[in-house]
Coordinates of all heavy atoms in Angstrom, one line a residue:
M366 N 0.9 -1.2 0.0 CA 0.0 0.0 0.0 C 0.9 1.2 0.0 O 1.9 1.3 0.7 CB -0.9 0.0 1.2 CG -1.8 1.2 1.4 SD -3.3 1.3 0.4 CE -4.3 -0.1 1.1
S367 N 0.6 2.2 -0.8 CA 1.3 3.4 -0.9 C 0.4 4.6 -0.9 O -0.8 4.5 -1.3 CB 2.1 3.5 -2.3 OG 3.1 2.5 -2.3
K368 N 0.9 5.7 -0.4 CA 0.1 7.0 -0.4 C 0.8 7.8 -1.5 O 1.9 8.1 -1.4 CB 0.1 7.7 0.9 CG -0.7 9.0 0.9 CD -0.8 9.7 2.2 CE -1.7 9.0 3.2 NZ -3.1 9.2 3.0
L369 N 0.0 8.2 -2.5 CA 0.4 9.0 -3.6 C 0.1 10.5 -3.3 O -0.9 10.8 -2.6 CB -0.2 8.6 -4.9 CG 0.0 7.1 -5.3 CD1 -0.7 6.8 -6.6 CD2 1.5 6.8 -5.3
Y370 N 0.9 11.4 -3.9 CA 0.7 12.8 -3.7 C 0.8 13.5 -5.0 O 1.6 13.2 -5.9 CB 1.9 13.4 -2.8 CG 1.9 14.9 -2.7 CD1 1.3 15.6 -1.7 CD2 2.7 15.6 -3.6 CE1 1.3 17.0 -1.6 CE2 2.8 17.0 -3.5 CZ 2.1 17.7 -2.6 OH 2.2 19.0 -2.5
R371 N -0.1 14.5 -5.2 CA -0.1 15.3 -6.5 C -0.4 16.7 -6.1 O -1.1 17.0 -5.1 CB -1.2 14.9 -7.4 CG -1.1 13.5 -8.0 CD -2.3 13.2 -8.9 NE -2.4 14.1 -10.1 CZ -3.5 14.2 -10.8 NH1 -4.5 13.5 -10.5 NH2 -3.5 15.0 -11.9
L372 N 0.2 17.7 -6.8 CA -0.1 19.1 -6.6 C -0.8 19.5 -7.9 O -0.1 19.6 -9.0 CB 1.2 19.9 -6.3 CG 0.9 21.4 -6.1 CD1 0.0 21.6 -4.9 CD2 2.2 22.2 -6.0
L373 N -2.0 19.8 -7.8 CA -2.8 20.3 -9.0 C -2.7 21.8 -9.1 O -2.9 22.5 -8.1 CB -4.3 19.9 -8.9 CG -4.5 18.4 -8.6 CD1 -6.0 18.1 -8.3 CD2 -4.0 17.5 -9.7
T374 N -2.4 22.3 -10.3 CA -2.2 23.7 -10.5 C -2.9 24.1 -11.8 O -3.1 23.3 -12.7 CB -0.8 24.2 -10.6 OG1 -0.2 23.6 -11.7 CG2 0.0 23.8 -9.3
E375 N -3.4 25.4 -11.8 CA -4.1 25.9 -13.0 C -4.3 27.4 -12.8 O -4.3 27.9 -11.7 CB -5.4 25.2 -13.1 CG -6.2 25.5 -14.4 CD -5.6 25.0 -15.6 OE1 -5.2 23.8 -15.7 OE2 -5.4 25.8 -16.6
E376 N -4.6 28.1 -13.9 CA -5.0 29.5 -13.8 C -6.3 29.5 -13.0 O -7.1 28.5 -12.9 CB -5.2 30.1 -15.2 CG -3.9 30.4 -15.9 CD -4.2 31.0 -17.2 OE1 -5.3 31.4 -17.6 OE2 -3.2 31.2 -18.0
D377 N -6.6 30.6 -12.4 CA -7.8 30.8 -11.6 C -9.0 30.9 -12.5 O -9.4 32.0 -13.0 CB -7.7 32.1 -10.7 CG -8.9 32.3 -9.9 OD1 -9.6 31.3 -9.6 OD2 -9.1 33.4 -9.4
S378 N -9.6 29.7 -12.8 CA -10.7 29.6 -13.7 C -11.5 28.4 -13.4 O -11.1 27.6 -12.5 CB -10.3 29.6 -15.2 OG -9.6 28.3 -15.4
S379 N -12.6 28.2 -14.1 CA -13.4 26.9 -13.8 C -12.5 25.7 -14.1 O -12.8 24.6 -13.6 CB -14.7 27.0 -14.6 OG -14.4 27.0 -16.0
A380 N -11.5 25.8 -15.0 CA -10.7 24.7 -15.3 C -10.0 24.1 -14.1 O -9.9 22.9 -13.9 CB -9.6 25.1 -16.4
F381 N -9.6 25.0 -13.2 CA -9.0 24.5 -11.9 C -10.0 23.7 -11.1 O -9.7 22.6 -10.6 CB -8.4 25.7 -11.1 CG -7.9 25.3 -9.8 CD1 -6.7 24.6 -9.7 CD2 -8.6 25.5 -8.6 CE1 -6.2 24.2 -8.4 CE2 -8.1 25.1 -7.4 CZ -6.9 24.4 -7.3
C382 N -11.2 24.2 -11.0 CA -12.3 23.5 -10.2 C -12.6 22.2 -10.8 O -12.7 21.2 -10.1 CB -13.5 24.4 -10.1 SG -13.3 25.9 -9.2
H383 N -12.6 22.1 -12.1 CA -12.9 20.8 -12.8 C -11.7 19.9 -12.6 O -11.9 18.7 -12.4 CB -13.1 21.1 -14.3 CG -14.4 21.7 -14.6 ND1 -15.6 21.0 -14.5 CD2 -14.7 22.9 -15.1 CE1 -16.6 21.8 -14.8 NE2 -16.1 23.0 -15.2
K384 N -10.5 20.4 -12.6 CA -9.3 19.5 -12.4 C -9.4 18.9 -11.0 O -9.2 17.7 -10.8 CB -8.0 20.3 -12.6 CG -6.8 19.5 -12.5 CD -5.5 20.3 -12.6 CE -5.2 20.6 -14.1 NZ -3.9 21.2 -14.2
V385 N -9.7 19.7 -10.0 CA -9.8 19.2 -8.6 C -11.0 18.3 -8.5 O -10.9 17.2 -7.9 CB -9.9 20.4 -7.6 CG1 -10.1 19.8 -6.2 CG2 -8.6 21.2 -7.6
S386 N -12.1 18.6 -9.0 CA -13.3 17.8 -9.0 C -13.1 16.4 -9.6 O -13.5 15.4 -9.1 CB -14.5 18.5 -9.6 OG -14.9 19.6 -8.9
E387 N -12.4 16.4 -10.7 CA -12.0 15.1 -11.4 C -11.2 14.2 -10.5 O -11.4 13.0 -10.4 CB -11.3 15.4 -12.7 CG -11.0 14.1 -13.5 CD -10.2 14.3 -14.8 OE1 -9.6 15.4 -14.9 OE2 -10.3 13.4 -15.6
A388 N -10.2 14.8 -9.9 CA -9.3 14.1 -9.0 C -10.1 13.5 -7.8 O -10.0 12.3 -7.4 CB -8.2 15.0 -8.4
L389 N -11.0 14.3 -7.2 CA -11.9 13.8 -6.1 C -12.8 12.7 -6.6 O -13.0 11.7 -5.9 CB -12.7 14.9 -5.6 CG -12.0 16.1 -4.9 CD1 -12.9 17.2 -4.5 CD2 -11.2 15.6 -3.7
A390 N -13.3 12.8 -7.8 CA -14.1 11.7 -8.4 C -13.4 10.4 -8.6 O -13.9 9.3 -8.6 CB -14.8 12.2 -9.7
K391 N -12.0 10.5 -8.8 CA -11.2 9.3 -8.9 C -10.6 8.8 -7.6 O -9.7 8.0 -7.6 CB -10.1 9.7 -9.9 CG -10.5 9.9 -11.3 CD -9.3 10.2 -12.2 CE -9.8 10.3 -13.7 NZ -8.6 10.6 -14.6
G392 N -11.1 9.3 -6.5 CA -10.7 8.8 -5.2 C -9.6 9.6 -4.5 O -9.2 9.2 -3.4
W393 N -9.1 10.6 -5.1 CA -8.1 11.4 -4.4 C -8.7 12.2 -3.3 O -9.9 12.6 -3.4 CB -7.4 12.4 -5.4 CG -6.6 11.7 -6.4 CD1 -7.0 11.1 -7.6 CD2 -5.2 11.5 -6.4 NE1 -5.9 10.5 -8.3 CE2 -4.8 10.7 -7.5 CE3 -4.2 11.8 -5.5 CZ2 -3.5 10.4 -7.8 CZ3 -2.8 11.4 -5.7 CH2 -2.5 10.7 -6.9
E394 N -8.0 12.6 -2.3 CA -8.5 13.4 -1.2 C -7.7 14.7 -1.0 O -6.5 14.7 -1.3 CB -8.4 12.6 0.1 CG -9.2 11.3 0.1 CD -9.1 10.6 1.4 OE1 -8.5 11.1 2.4 OE2 -9.7 9.4 1.5
L395 N -8.4 15.7 -0.7 CA -7.8 17.0 -0.4 C -6.7 16.9 0.7 O -7.0 16.2 1.7 CB -8.8 18.1 -0.1 CG -9.9 18.4 -1.1 CD1 -10.8 19.4 -0.5 CD2 -9.3 18.9 -2.4
H396 N -5.6 17.6 0.5 CA -4.6 17.6 1.5 C -4.2 19.0 1.8 O -3.5 19.7 0.9 CB -3.4 16.8 1.0 CG -2.2 16.7 2.0 ND1 -2.2 15.9 3.0 CD2 -1.1 17.4 2.1 CE1 -1.1 16.0 3.7 NE2 -0.4 17.0 3.2
G397 N -4.6 19.5 2.9 CA -4.3 20.9 3.2 C -5.2 21.9 2.5 O -6.2 21.5 1.8
S398 N -4.9 23.2 2.6 CA -5.7 24.2 2.0 C -5.2 24.6 0.6 O -4.0 24.4 0.3 CB -5.6 25.5 2.9 OG -6.1 25.2 4.2
P399 N -6.1 25.1 -0.2 CA -5.6 25.6 -1.5 C -4.7 26.8 -1.4 O -4.7 27.5 -0.4 CB -6.9 25.9 -2.3 CG -7.9 26.2 -1.2 CD -7.5 25.3 0.0
A400 N -3.9 27.0 -2.4 CA -3.0 28.2 -2.5 C -3.4 29.0 -3.7 O -3.9 28.5 -4.7 CB -1.6 27.8 -2.6
Y401 N -3.1 30.3 -3.6 CA -3.5 31.3 -4.6 C -2.4 32.3 -4.7 O -2.0 32.9 -3.7 CB -4.8 31.9 -4.1 CG -5.6 32.7 -5.1 CD1 -6.2 32.1 -6.2 CD2 -5.9 34.1 -4.9 CE1 -6.9 32.9 -7.1 CE2 -6.7 34.8 -5.7 CZ -7.2 34.2 -6.9 OH -8.0 34.9 -7.7
A402 N -1.9 32.5 -5.9 CA -0.7 33.4 -6.1 C -0.8 34.0 -7.5 O -1.3 33.5 -8.5 CB 0.6 32.6 -6.0
F403 N -0.2 35.2 -7.6 CA -0.1 35.9 -8.8 C 1.1 35.5 -9.6 O 2.2 35.3 -9.1 CB 0.0 37.4 -8.5 CG 0.1 38.3 -9.8 CD1 -1.0 38.5 -10.6 CD2 1.3 38.9 -10.1 CE1 -0.9 39.2 -11.7 CE2 1.4 39.7 -11.2 CZ 0.3 39.8 -12.0
D404 N 0.9 35.2 -10.9 CA 2.0 34.8 -11.8 C 2.3 36.0 -12.7 O 1.6 36.3 -13.6 CB 1.5 33.6 -12.6 CG 2.6 33.1 -13.6 OD1 3.7 33.7 -13.7 OD2 2.4 32.0 -14.2
P405 N 3.4 36.6 -12.4 CA 3.8 37.8 -13.2 C 4.1 37.6 -14.6 O 4.0 38.4 -15.5 CB 5.0 38.4 -12.4 CG 5.5 37.3 -11.6 CD 4.4 36.4 -11.3
S406 N 4.5 36.3 -14.9 CA 4.9 36.0 -16.3 C 3.7 36.0 -17.2 O 3.8 36.2 -18.4 CB 5.7 34.7 -16.4 OG 4.8 33.6 -16.0
T407 N 2.5 35.7 -16.7 CA 1.3 35.6 -17.4 C 0.3 36.7 -17.0 O -0.8 36.9 -17.7 CB 0.5 34.3 -17.3 OG1 0.2 34.1 -15.9 CG2 1.4 33.1 -17.8
N408 N 0.6 37.4 -16.0 CA -0.2 38.5 -15.4 C -1.6 37.9 -15.0 O -2.6 38.6 -15.1 CB -0.4 39.6 -16.4 CG -0.7 40.9 -15.8 OD1 -0.3 41.2 -14.7 ND2 -1.5 41.8 -16.4
K409 N -1.6 36.7 -14.4 CA -2.9 36.1 -14.0 C -2.6 35.4 -12.7 O -1.5 35.1 -12.3 CB -3.3 35.0 -15.0 CG -3.7 35.6 -16.4 CD -4.2 34.5 -17.3 CE -4.5 35.2 -18.6 NZ -5.1 34.3 -19.6
M410 N -3.7 35.2 -12.0 CA -3.7 34.5 -10.7 C -3.7 33.0 -11.0 O -4.3 32.5 -12.0 CB -4.9 34.8 -9.8 CG -5.0 36.3 -9.4 SD -3.5 36.8 -8.4 CE -3.8 35.9 -6.9
R411 N -3.0 32.2 -10.1 CA -2.9 30.7 -10.3 C -3.4 30.1 -9.0 O -3.1 30.7 -7.9 CB -1.5 30.3 -10.6 CG -1.1 30.8 -12.0 CD 0.1 30.1 -12.6 NE 0.0 28.6 -12.7 CZ -0.5 28.0 -13.7 NH1 -1.0 28.6 -14.7 NH2 -0.5 26.7 -13.7
C412 N -4.0 28.9 -9.1 CA -4.4 28.2 -7.9 C -3.6 26.9 -7.8 O -3.2 26.3 -8.8 CB -5.9 27.8 -8.0 SG -7.0 29.3 -8.1
A413 N -3.5 26.4 -6.6 CA -2.9 25.1 -6.4 C -3.6 24.3 -5.3 O -4.1 25.0 -4.3 CB -1.4 25.2 -6.0
Q414 N -3.7 23.0 -5.4 CA -4.3 22.2 -4.4 C -3.6 20.9 -4.3 O -3.5 20.2 -5.4 CB -5.8 22.0 -4.6 CG -6.5 21.0 -3.7 CD -6.5 21.5 -2.2 OE1 -7.1 22.6 -2.0 NE2 -5.9 20.8 -1.3
A415 N -3.1 20.5 -3.2 CA -2.5 19.2 -3.0 C -3.6 18.1 -2.8 O -4.6 18.4 -2.1 CB -1.6 19.2 -1.8
V416 N -3.4 17.0 -3.3 CA -4.3 15.8 -3.1 C -3.5 14.6 -2.8 O -2.3 14.5 -3.3 CB -5.2 15.6 -4.3 CG1 -6.2 16.7 -4.5 CG2 -4.5 15.4 -5.6
T417 N -4.0 13.6 -2.1 CA -3.4 12.4 -1.8 C -4.3 11.2 -2.1 O -5.5 11.4 -2.1 CB -2.9 12.3 -0.4 OG1 -4.0 12.4 0.5 CG2 -1.8 13.4 -0.1
K418 N -3.8 10.0 -2.3 CA -4.6 8.8 -2.5 C -3.8 7.6 -2.0 O -2.6 7.5 -2.3 CB -4.9 8.7 -4.0 CG -5.8 7.6 -4.4 CD -6.1 7.6 -5.8 CE -7.1 6.5 -6.3 NZ -7.4 6.6 -7.7
D419 N -4.5 6.7 -1.3 CA -3.9 5.4 -0.9 C -4.2 4.4 -2.1 O -5.3 4.3 -2.6 CB -4.6 4.9 0.3 CG -4.2 5.7 1.6 OD1 -3.0 6.2 1.6 OD2 -5.0 5.9 2.4
V420 N -3.2 3.7 -2.5 CA -3.3 2.7 -3.6 C -2.7 1.4 -3.1 O -1.8 1.4 -2.3 CB -2.7 3.2 -4.9 CG1 -3.4 4.4 -5.5 CG2 -1.2 3.5 -4.8
A421 N -3.2 0.3 -3.7 CA -2.7 -1.0 -3.3 C -1.6 -1.4 -4.2 O -1.7 -2.5 -4.8 CB -3.9 -2.0 -3.4
A422 N -0.6 -0.6 -4.4 CA 0.5 -0.9 -5.2 C 1.8 -0.2 -4.6 O 1.7 0.8 -3.9 CB 0.3 -0.3 -6.6
D423 N 2.9 -0.8 -4.9 CA 4.1 -0.2 -4.4 C 4.4 1.1 -5.2 O 4.3 1.0 -6.4 CB 5.3 -1.2 -4.5 CG 5.2 -2.3 -3.5 OD1 4.6 -2.1 -2.4 OD2 5.7 -3.4 -3.8
Y424 N 4.9 2.1 -4.6 CA 5.3 3.3 -5.3 C 6.4 3.1 -6.2 O 7.4 2.4 -5.9 CB 5.6 4.5 -4.3 CG 6.2 5.6 -5.0 CD1 5.4 6.5 -5.7 CD2 7.5 5.9 -5.0 CE1 5.8 7.6 -6.4 CE2 8.1 7.0 -5.7 CZ 7.2 7.8 -6.5 OH 7.7 8.8 -7.2
S425 N 6.3 3.7 -7.4 CA 7.4 3.7 -8.4 C 7.4 5.1 -9.0 O 6.4 5.7 -9.3 CB 7.2 2.7 -9.4 OG 8.0 2.9 -10.5
P426 N 8.6 5.7 -9.3 CA 8.7 7.0 -9.9 C 8.1 6.9 -11.3 O 7.8 8.0 -11.9 CB 10.2 7.3 -10.0 CG 10.8 6.4 -8.9 CD 9.9 5.2 -8.8
D427 N 7.9 5.8 -11.9 CA 7.4 5.6 -13.2 C 5.8 5.7 -13.3 O 5.2 5.7 -14.3 CB 7.8 4.3 -13.9 CG 9.4 4.3 -14.0 OD1 10.0 5.3 -14.3 OD2 9.9 3.2 -13.9
M428 N 5.2 5.7 -12.1 CA 3.7 5.7 -12.0 C 3.2 7.0 -12.7 O 3.8 8.1 -12.6 CB 3.2 5.7 -10.6 CG 3.4 4.5 -9.8 SD 2.9 4.7 -8.1 CE 1.9 3.2 -8.0
K429 N 2.1 6.8 -13.4 CA 1.4 8.0 -14.0 C 0.3 8.4 -13.0 O -0.7 7.8 -12.9 CB 0.8 7.6 -15.4 CG 1.8 7.0 -16.4 CD 2.6 8.2 -16.9 CE 3.6 7.6 -17.9 NZ 4.7 8.5 -18.2
L430 N 0.7 9.3 -12.2 CA -0.2 9.7 -11.0 C -1.6 10.1 -11.5 O -2.6 9.8 -10.8 CB 0.4 10.8 -10.2 CG 1.8 10.4 -9.5 CD1 2.3 11.6 -8.8 CD2 1.6 9.2 -8.6
G431 N -1.7 10.8 -12.6 CA -3.0 11.2 -13.1 C -3.9 10.0 -13.5 O -5.1 10.2 -13.6
Q432 N -3.3 8.9 -13.7 CA -4.1 7.7 -14.1 C -4.4 6.8 -13.0 O -5.1 5.8 -13.2 CB -3.3 6.9 -15.2 CG -3.1 7.8 -16.5 CD -2.2 7.1 -17.5 OE1 -1.7 6.0 -17.2 NE2 -2.0 7.7 -18.6
Q433 N -4.0 7.1 -11.8 CA -4.2 6.3 -10.6 C -5.6 6.5 -10.1 O -6.2 7.6 -10.1 CB -3.2 6.5 -9.5 CG -1.8 6.1 -9.9 CD -1.7 4.6 -10.2 OE1 -2.2 3.8 -9.5 NE2 -1.0 4.3 -11.2

């Protein structure tokens, strides 16, 4: 059994909410509070949310976390 970790990021838009909602629908759980920061290179706000998931497999760096 392994606990997997992902940090989901996106511009502050509905796309971010959909990305987090999709992860939750696939069994990922929220980990901590979301973060919100200004990206001066794009002149836009960005959001981040950590998620974790317990899986019945040994961790490997080759895992495709988005497919778990």
Side-chain angles (χ1 to χ4, degrees):
M366 176 80 65
S367 296
K368 182 175 285 282
L369 303 180
Y370 171 90
R371 293 175 65 194
L372 181 63
L373 306 175
T374 62
E375 184 68 51
E376 287 182 6
D377 181 21
S378 69
S379 63
F381 176 73
C382 295
H383 287 291
K384 186 182 280 192
V385 174
S386 295
E387 179 182 26
L389 295 173
K391 290 182 176 180
W393 292 83
E394 296 181 7
L395 299 177
H396 180 80
S398 299
Y401 193 61
F403 181 70
D404 181 352
S406 66
T407 62
N408 205 33
K409 295 184 179 183
M410 296 300 290
R411 293 194 60 84
C412 300
Q414 174 65 59
V416 293
T417 60
K418 184 177 184 180
D419 291 322
V420 295
D423 290 332
Y424 171 74
S425 166
D427 298 327
M428 289 178 132
K429 303 291 184 196
L430 298 178
Q432 297 174 357
Q433 295 297 317

